Amino acid sequence: MAEQILESVRSKYGAVAESSLSSDNAGVKAVAEAFGYTPEELTSIPAEANMGLSCGNPTATARIKPGEVVVDLGSGGGLDVFLASKMVGPEGRAIGIDMTPAMLERARANAKAGGYTNVELYQSTIDQIPLPDASVDCVISNCVLNLAPDKPAVFREIARVLKPGGRVAVSDIALKRDLPEDVAKSVAAYVGCIAGAILIDDYRAGLLAAGFAHVEIVDSGADLNAYAKVENQAGCCSPTMDASNPLQVIEESCCAPTSAASESLHGELKTLLSHYDVNAAAASVKVYAVKPGVKAANACCGPTCCS
């Protein structure tokens, strides 16, 4: 089941990576701004780095400093990697980890076009980060940890690669209450960052179990319906809904697929949002935690005290 989920995620996000979505698209830009990016931030990096897949802005709460090593888990087209690159400066490193080849190809093209010399990009799942122990100052991520089938393994890997006193600053989707069973079992809802999300209390417990301290998880209050702003996607093959049960996602398409790109991730998200009040059960959250160590005295840099 885990491999099926990963393959579905890889396929859908690969199709997005091969699309023409960018900050030049008004809907894509609107999604990023709805989740906390400023117009200045978006214009400071390659437009193609943003594809409307964010649920927050982790660099805004990470308190990134010059010379640090920052790792972005599920780095996509490079949006947060490139913002972090500017913050760490020439003496630091901004590292992106992504499992989707098309995403990495797009990110590498963006890095070359933008002249980023302190950016490194690696292909891997985020439960097996290809970096040495205690080699990273800060781990960021943006709407990706919810997609990982084995979240405790991801939390342990983050703890492994962080230096003592290192920190986690993540934007993610978490649940305020359990989802209806039909939605929770939907692959479309999983790939859309909803069905794979865990309860906020479980998220906190998972980080504590992995050895983190000073764990903060804050509901940003952002409207998850912002994803519907991405318009004019190719194809009509989104999942349909049963009108008699609006919470049931049916894994059938409305037309025969013509290509991977035609089965639009954003189209599926828009369909899901139009039939289910996602905000009732899920939330865009800011997650912050610290690996205990010599720098733990500086722990209060989470979303509630350093925003």
Side-chain angles (χ1 to χ4, degrees):
M1 181 62 179
E3 187 55 40
Q4 178 188 356
I5 289 171
L6 287 175
E7 186 53 40
S8 295
V9 170
R10 190 179 288 114
S11 174
K12 292 296 182 184
Y13 284 86
V16 174
E18 293 170 350
S19 75
S20 60
L21 291 174
S22 76
S23 288
D24 293 332
N25 176 293
V28 171
K29 183 179 179 183
V31 169
E33 291 180 354
F35 288 116
Y37 292 96
T38 66
E40 292 75 21
E41 285 176 316
L42 296 176
T43 57
S44 72
I45 61 174
E48 291 75 14
N50 172 32
M51 289 164 274
L53 299 173
S54 305
C55 64
N57 178 359
T59 60
T61 57
R63 306 294 288 181
I64 297 170
K65 304 175 184 66
E68 289 191 318
V69 177
V70 177
V71 173
D72 181 16
L73 300 183
S75 49
L79 169 58
D80 295 310
V81 171
F82 299 140
L83 291 175
S85 168
K86 295 177 181 294
M87 296 175 179
V88 301
E91 302 302 317
R93 297 161 63 203
I95 302 171
I97 309 292
D98 204 284
M99 71 173 186
T100 305
M103 280 293 185
L104 288 167
E105 182 178 348
R106 183 163 178 156
R108 288 179 177 128
N110 289 332
K112 183 177 181 180
Y116 293 92
T117 58
N118 61 348
V119 166
E120 302 171 22
L121 298 164
Y122 300 100
Q123 182 177 347
S124 176
T125 55
I126 61 175
D127 59 351
Q128 299 182 38
I129 303 172
L131 296 172
D133 296 355
S135 61
V136 175
D137 295 292
C138 182
V139 171
I140 61 175
S141 186
N142 196 339
C143 214
V144 172
L145 269 60
N146 66 80
L147 295 169
D150 189 349
K151 293 171 183 60
V154 174
F155 295 151
R156 291 192 296 269
E157 271 293 270
I158 294 173
R160 180 186 66 78
V161 301
L162 279 173
K163 300 174 183 177
R167 62 203 184 278
V168 178
V170 167
S171 295
D172 208 0
I173 302 292
L175 300 181
K176 297 179 282 189
R177 61 176 176 82
D178 289 330
L179 294 167
E181 184 178 0
D182 290 335
V183 177
K185 291 183 176 179
S186 164
V187 175
Y190 197 108
V191 175
C193 299
I194 304 300
I198 57 176
L199 292 168
I200 291 173
D201 287 345
D202 292 341
Y203 211 126
R204 183 181 294 106
L207 287 168
L208 291 171
F212 287 98
H214 307 285
V215 178
E216 294 183 63
I217 302 178
V218 178
D219 185 344
S220 71
D223 182 5
L224 296 179
N225 289 304
Y227 292 117
K229 295 180 180 180
V230 180
E231 299 173 341
N232 301 320
Q233 302 308 302
C236 63
C237 302
S238 300
T240 57
M241 302 286 176
D242 182 349
S244 67
N245 182 2
L247 298 184
Q248 182 179 14
V249 182
I250 302 175
E251 304 300 335
E252 295 177 356
S253 61
C254 60
C255 62
T258 57
S259 69
S262 72
E263 298 187 61
S264 165
L265 172 61
H266 290 92
E268 293 181 2
L269 275 170
K270 187 172 182 178
T271 302
L272 181 67
L273 293 170
S274 69
H275 289 78
Y276 175 59
D277 182 11
V278 174
N279 289 307
S284 163
V285 295
K286 301 176 183 179
V287 180
Y288 194 87
V290 175
K291 180 178 178 178
V294 293
K295 295 182 182 179
N298 298 324
C300 188
C301 283
T304 61
C305 57
C306 287
S307 55

